[in-house]
């Protein structure tokens, strides 16, 4: 209370309500942190990619041209189905809008499959793998430098493998820290090494590689058929109308047909040409990257023949379009495994094997489980000056005492005879007469232990042994 007589300090006190509905048990630590939600691998993906739908959709970062592709296909097809198909189905056949619908859905399906899938990205090396590989490369370069002149430049980081009798070089990627497998290349836009890299296509918003090449080829091939189909029937629509009302009146009656014809006319050439080029690549089992660089020749007789070609157009097409689809190597929807927690070792630096923390605590609390300290020259008991050693001083009164059959020591020189006995039984938990605890009440509180009191304890022990021997002798005589 303050001199003011009021409850001023009580007013300043604040009480916080303790929640009784806490889910934590009393044994849990109050400082325990909340478990963090594990992240998925796509959230920390090192490449320049965008992910949607919790990592299910993977695209390149530059997707503006992809949206332009979607708009052109959707708008052109929508105008065709809205303004041309009703007239054509009535005048010619209802199969026209049905066939157009099938082509449209096939084009959209293959486009989305190409754009939203993993093209075959190779995972980057872990820090340990990269360090080990750099160490191997460094040793190789040191050997090359040591065996040549001082101005020698180390060779490029490449390895050579033999594929169908043809030597293929594996180049080292300084970004991914790996030796790229055959036909793989690093995409500068996505910043990834892609297996069987063909090219980066901005129209689909993704790289084209081993895992989505077949869908890309089916997309451009079906888009070619759809473009030719729309362009042909738009012209047919305009011609049929012009026969009834004239050409100019036909254009005025269906202006959407004019827009469709213009879009299809300027795009059909590039789309059909691209489809033909990739048909050639598939038939020879090449990639766009290899064809541009001129890596291989289609003739087997030449030195740089294509080691990946089966020598048959049909077999090459089946291998590219009908072969098994390889799984993704990056596992973008997998969880990041946290580091395994390492148990902290004891404070003395000794590693404990097979012992739990509770066992070590029990050993620390029990004196008999501790190692007995060795006796040095400074700790040796001297005549007239006795002491109790450390481990035995911690014994409680309930501890067992040594056998009472001890020799009768009546002189100061007898105390020194105990030392060899102590050293002889150093590995055993026996107590010497000097280390034997006194019974309760024998020593007053706070009084020092004197030499005469020690001799008195030893004499009592010898008298007990003599009494026990005499009793045994009387028992033997009575039995006789």
């Amino acid at each position: 209370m303050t001199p003011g007589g009021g409850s001023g300090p009580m007013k300043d006190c604040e009480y916080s309500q303790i929640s009784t509905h806490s889910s934590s048990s009393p044994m849990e630590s109050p400082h325990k942190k909340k478990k963090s939600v594990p992240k998925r691998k796509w959230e920390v993906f090192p490449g320049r990619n965008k992910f949607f739908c919790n990592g299910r959709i993977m695209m390149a970062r530059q997707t503006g041209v992809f949206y332009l592709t979607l708009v052109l296909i959707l708008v052109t097809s929508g105008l065709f189905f809205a303004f041309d198909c009703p007239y054509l189905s009535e005048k010619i056949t209802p199969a026209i809008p049905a066939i157009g619908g099938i082509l449209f859905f096939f084009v959209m399906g293959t486009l989305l499959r190409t754009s939203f899938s993993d093209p075959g990205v190779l995972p980057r090396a872990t820090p340990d793998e990269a360090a080990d590989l750099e160490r191997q490369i460094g040793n190789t370069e040191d050997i090359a430098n040591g065996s040549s002149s001082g101005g020698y430049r180390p060779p490029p980081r490449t390895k050579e493998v033999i594929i169908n009798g043809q030597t293929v070089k594996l180049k080292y990627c300084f970004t991914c820290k790996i030796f790229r497998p055959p036909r793989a290349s690093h995409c500068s836009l996505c910043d990834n090494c892609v297996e069987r890299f063909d090219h980066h296509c901005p129209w689909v918003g993704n790289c084209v590689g081993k895992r989505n090449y077949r869908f890309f080829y089916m997309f451009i091939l079906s888009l070619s058929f759809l473009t030719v189909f729309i362009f042909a029937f738009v012209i047919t629509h305009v011609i049929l109308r012009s026969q009834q009302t004239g050409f100019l009146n036909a254009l005025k009656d269906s202006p959407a047909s004019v827009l469709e014809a213009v879009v299809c006319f300027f795009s059909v050439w590039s789309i059909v040409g691209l489809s033909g080029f990739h048909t050639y690549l598939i038939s020879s089992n090449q990639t766009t990257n290899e064809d541009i660089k001129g890596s291989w020749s289609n003739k087997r007789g030449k030195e740089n023949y294509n080691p990946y070609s089966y020598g048959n157009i049909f077999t090459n097409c089946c291998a590219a379009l009908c072969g098994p689809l390889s799984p993704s190597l990056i596992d973008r929807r997998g969880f990041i495994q946290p580091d395994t927690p390492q148990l902290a070792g004891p404070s003395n630096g000794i590693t404990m094997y097979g012992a739990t923390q509770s066992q070590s605590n029990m050993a620390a609390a029990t004196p008999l489980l501790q190692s007995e300290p060795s006796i040095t020259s400074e700790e040796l008991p001297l005549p007239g000056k006795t002491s109790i050693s450390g481990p035995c001083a911690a014994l409680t009164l309930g501890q067992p005492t040594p056998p009472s059959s001890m020799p009768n020591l009546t002189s100061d020189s007898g105390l020194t005879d105990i030392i060899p006995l102590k050293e002889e039984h150093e590995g055993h938990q026996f107590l010497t007469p000097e280390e034997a605890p006194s019974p309760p009440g024998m020593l007053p509180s706070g009084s020092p232990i004197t030499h005469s009191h020690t001799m008195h304890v030893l004499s009592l022990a010898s008298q007990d042994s003599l009494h026990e021997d005499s009793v045994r002798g009387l028992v033997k005589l009575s039995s006789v």
Side-chain angles (χ1 to χ4, degrees):
M1 286 242 180
T2 57
S7 57
M10 298 300 294
K11 292 181 179 179
D12 297 334
C13 295
E14 295 182 357
Y15 297 92
S16 60
Q17 184 178 2
I18 301 176
S19 175
T20 58
H21 302 284
S22 176
S23 60
S24 60
S25 60
M27 299 301 294
E28 292 181 356
S29 173
H31 302 287
K32 186 177 180 181
K33 297 181 180 179
K34 295 181 179 179
K35 292 184 178 179
S36 58
V37 179
K39 290 185 178 181
R40 295 187 183 268
K41 294 181 181 180
W42 66 266
E43 299 182 71
V44 294
F45 189 72
R48 291 195 290 265
N49 294 88
K50 293 194 297 186
F51 297 87
F52 306 93
C53 299
N54 200 14
R56 293 178 176 87
I57 297 176
M58 177 181 181
M59 298 184 66
R61 189 166 296 180
Q62 299 83 6
T63 55
V65 184
F66 165 72
Y67 296 124
L68 177 61
T69 306
L70 280 178
V71 170
L72 289 175
I73 296 175
L74 291 175
V75 170
T76 305
S77 301
L79 293 176
F80 174 73
F81 289 120
F83 296 98
D84 297 295
C85 284
Y87 182 86
L88 294 173
S89 61
E90 180 182 356
K91 296 295 181 180
I92 301 177
T93 176
I96 295 176
I99 297 175
I102 293 173
L103 288 174
F104 170 76
F105 283 110
F106 192 83
V107 167
M108 293 302 300
T110 53
L111 171 62
L112 298 179
R113 185 65 173 81
T114 306
S115 303
F116 294 165
S117 61
D118 171 23
V121 176
L122 296 172
R124 301 191 182 190
T126 62
D128 294 337
E129 295 172 347
D132 182 67
L133 193 58
E134 289 286 346
R135 186 162 47 251
Q136 295 177 9
I137 295 174
N139 295 336
T140 305
E141 291 181 353
D142 291 341
I143 295 174
N145 289 334
S147 61
S148 59
S149 60
Y152 176 79
R153 183 178 181 181
R157 298 186 175 190
T158 58
K159 289 184 178 181
E160 292 184 353
V161 295
I162 305 298
I163 299 177
N164 293 330
Q166 184 71 275
T167 302
V168 179
K169 290 185 178 182
L170 307 182
K171 295 183 180 180
Y172 180 79
C173 179
F174 291 89
T175 303
C176 302
K177 305 296 183 183
I178 60 173
F179 277 98
R180 293 191 290 263
R183 315 188 82 176
S185 183
H186 190 88
C187 177
S188 59
L189 296 177
C190 296
D191 198 23
N192 295 314
C193 279
V194 181
E195 193 173 6
R196 199 185 181 277
F197 178 76
D198 191 87
H199 69 288
H200 181 92
C201 183
W203 295 98
V204 300
N206 203 351
C207 287
V208 178
K210 182 177 182 179
R211 297 191 70 251
N212 64 348
Y213 180 77
R214 66 181 63 182
F215 304 106
F216 170 78
Y217 176 74
M218 288 187 287
F219 161 67
I220 58 175
L221 187 63
S222 59
L223 183 62
S224 300
F225 284 115
L226 180 63
T227 306
V228 172
F229 181 84
I230 292 176
F231 182 73
F233 282 101
V234 164
I235 298 299
T236 302
H237 180 205
V238 173
I239 293 174
L240 291 177
R241 279 189 176 273
S242 62
Q243 290 178 354
Q244 297 175 357
T245 60
F247 182 73
L248 296 178
N249 292 330
L251 296 180
K252 292 180 181 180
D253 293 338
S254 59
S257 300
V258 179
L259 179 61
E260 297 168 37
V262 172
V263 172
C264 292
F265 177 79
F266 285 102
S267 59
V268 69
W269 309 109
S270 58
I271 297 174
V272 172
L274 186 62
S275 301
F277 173 69
H278 279 278
T279 302
Y280 155 74
L281 293 178
I282 288 178
S283 63
S284 59
N285 203 342
Q286 292 188 81
T287 63
T288 303
N289 189 39
E290 293 170 348
D291 183 76
I292 292 176
K293 293 180 178 179
S295 303
W296 315 114
S297 173
N298 293 330
K299 296 181 179 181
R300 279 280 179 178
K302 292 189 176 181
E303 295 181 356
N304 62 334
Y305 65 90
N306 186 5
Y308 308 108
S309 177
Y310 293 94
N312 188 348
I313 296 177
F314 180 77
T315 307
N316 289 336
C317 293
C318 290
L321 302 177
C322 304
L325 185 63
S326 60
S328 177
L329 300 178
I330 56 176
D331 188 23
R332 56 187 183 273
R333 297 197 70 246
F335 290 100
I336 300 175
Q337 298 296 333
D339 295 337
T340 304
Q342 300 293 335
L343 296 178
S347 58
N348 56 1
I350 302 176
T351 306
M352 300 174 62
Y353 297 96
T356 60
Q357 187 67 22
S358 60
Q359 292 174 345
S360 61
N361 293 339
M362 291 173 62
T366 307
L368 291 178
L369 297 180
Q370 297 178 351
S371 60
E372 183 179 2
S374 59
I375 300 177
T376 61
S377 60
E378 298 178 357
E379 298 174 350
L380 294 178
L382 299 177
K385 183 179 180 181
T386 59
S387 61
I388 301 176
S389 61
C392 295
L395 293 175
T396 59
L397 295 178
Q399 299 288 345
T401 58
S404 59
S405 58
M406 290 291 180
N408 190 6
L409 303 177
T410 57
S411 63
D412 294 343
S413 62
L415 292 175
T416 59
D417 296 336
I418 303 301
I419 298 175
L421 179 65
K422 175 72 184 318
E423 295 175 353
E424 182 179 356
H425 302 284
E426 183 177 0
H428 304 281
Q429 297 295 332
F430 295 112
L431 302 179
T432 61
E434 302 167 6
E435 300 171 341
S438 302
M442 182 172 289
L443 293 177
S445 176
S447 62
I449 301 176
T450 61
H451 175 65
S452 60
H453 178 72
T454 304
M455 299 309 301
H456 177 66
V457 173
L458 297 177
S459 62
L460 289 177
S462 62
Q463 291 176 7
D464 292 340
S465 63
L466 292 176
H467 178 69
E468 183 178 0
D469 294 338
S470 61
V471 171
R472 291 178 180 175
L474 291 176
V475 172
K476 289 181 180 180
L477 291 175
S478 61
S479 63
V480 174

